[in-house]
Amino acid sequence: MRHLFKKHCTEFRGTIMKELGKKIVSYWGNRAEGYSEYNREELAGDKWQDWIAEIKKQLPKKEKSEIRILDIGTGTGFFAFLLSSLGHRVTGIDLTPSMIQEAKEIGQTLHSPAQFRVMDAEKLLFADESFDMVISRNLTWTLPHPQEAYREWQRVLKPGGLLLNFDG
């Protein structure tokens, strides 16, 4: 009996988490255009210089200047564009397809080499030790399982890699 109860609870939790994921995608999907406009304004203003200055202080030191960076919860690509403009190889991921579409459109306008993919921050589809740096902004508070996400982020970091998480 206990086994059946535990199985039922696990199935119930899985159903709830799927529904929560759908709600998160729907919420941010509806906000993609407005969020994109906000990020375009940030890129056009002076604030991006403050971000670059802060991030540069933390960047891993490498023999080559190119650093492989994963921007998790990229939204419309703000960090991806900043970091790729410094010559780094950046991949931005987001759970919301419309955010990724906006990022790709902005990237074309900016002629940015940053790459974008739809992906779950808690279930990364990258090999172990793929990145020198993982960066995220305003994402952790939206995650259903932040501990799982952090485990994944650590998994894809190379030894000595850097995790930068800017969250309010």
Side-chain angles (χ1 to χ4, degrees), residues 12-24:
F12 181 69
R13 178 175 162 79
T15 300
I16 289 173
M17 296 319 296
K18 278 184 184 177
E19 288 303 312
L20 180 58
K22 288 178 188 176
K23 287 182 180 181
I24 290 169

Side-chain angles (χ1 to χ4, degrees), residues 50-82:
D50 295 335
W51 279 111
I52 284 181
E54 186 60 35
I55 293 168
K56 272 185 170 180
K57 293 179 203 174
Q58 308 296 324
L59 287 175
K61 306 294 184 244
K62 291 191 71 157
E63 290 178 26
K64 299 187 310 178
S65 63
E66 181 184 82
I67 297 171
R68 188 144 187 243
I69 300 172
L70 177 61
D71 178 12
I72 300 180
T74 194
T76 59
F78 182 74
F79 276 167
F81 298 130
L82 293 184

Side-chain angles (χ1 to χ4, degrees), residues 20-31 95-98:
L20 180 58
K22 288 178 188 176
K23 287 182 180 181
I24 290 169
V25 168
S26 175
Y27 174 80
W28 287 108
N30 291 332
R31 296 198 57 204
L95 185 62
T96 311
S98 55

Side-chain angles (χ1 to χ4, degrees), residues 98-115:
S98 55
M99 287 286 190
I100 291 298
Q101 185 57 42
E102 291 283 336
K104 288 178 178 180
E105 289 172 13
I106 294 170
Q108 287 177 341
T109 302
L110 298 174
H111 305 287
S112 173
Q115 298 292 306

Side-chain angles (χ1 to χ4, degrees), residues 14-168:
T15 300
I16 289 173
M17 296 319 296
K18 278 184 184 177
E19 288 303 312
L20 180 58
K22 288 178 188 176
K23 287 182 180 181
I24 290 169
V25 168
S26 175
Y27 174 80
W28 287 108
N30 291 332
R31 296 198 57 204
E33 191 175 329
Y35 196 71
S36 177
E37 187 57 37
Y38 171 75
N39 279 342
R40 286 175 194 259
E41 289 171 11
E42 277 189 309
L43 289 167
D46 293 336
K47 192 171 188 173
W48 64 270
Q49 294 171 351
D50 295 335
W51 279 111
I52 284 181
E54 186 60 35
I55 293 168
K56 272 185 170 180
K57 293 179 203 174
Q58 308 296 324
L59 287 175
K61 306 294 184 244
K62 291 191 71 157
E63 290 178 26
K64 299 187 310 178
S65 63
E66 181 184 82
I67 297 171
R68 188 144 187 243
I69 300 172
L70 177 61
D71 178 12
I72 300 180
T74 194
T76 59
F78 182 74
F79 276 167
F81 298 130
L82 293 184
L83 294 165
S84 65
S85 76
L86 298 175
H88 304 301
R89 195 166 140 205
V90 185
T91 302
I93 66 160
D94 201 281
L95 185 62
T96 311
S98 55
M99 287 286 190
I100 291 298
Q101 185 57 42
E102 291 283 336
K104 288 178 178 180
E105 289 172 13
I106 294 170
Q108 287 177 341
T109 302
L110 298 174
H111 305 287
S112 173
Q115 298 292 306
F116 297 97
R117 295 175 61 184
V118 175
M119 193 178 302
D120 187 339
E122 295 178 354
K123 296 179 180 94
L124 301 177
L125 303 175
F126 299 106
D128 295 355
E129 302 178 5
S130 296
F131 297 94
D132 302 296
M133 182 172 129
V134 170
I135 191 166
S136 181
R137 172 178 145 181
N138 301 330
L139 172 69
T140 309
W141 67 274
T142 70
L143 297 174
H145 307 102
Q147 297 86 353
E148 289 178 28
Y150 282 125
R151 266 193 298 278
E152 278 291 280
W153 302 0
Q154 288 293 328
R155 180 184 66 75
V156 300
L157 272 174
K158 293 178 181 177
L162 175 67
L163 169 61
L164 280 180
N165 185 13
F166 297 97
D167 221 327

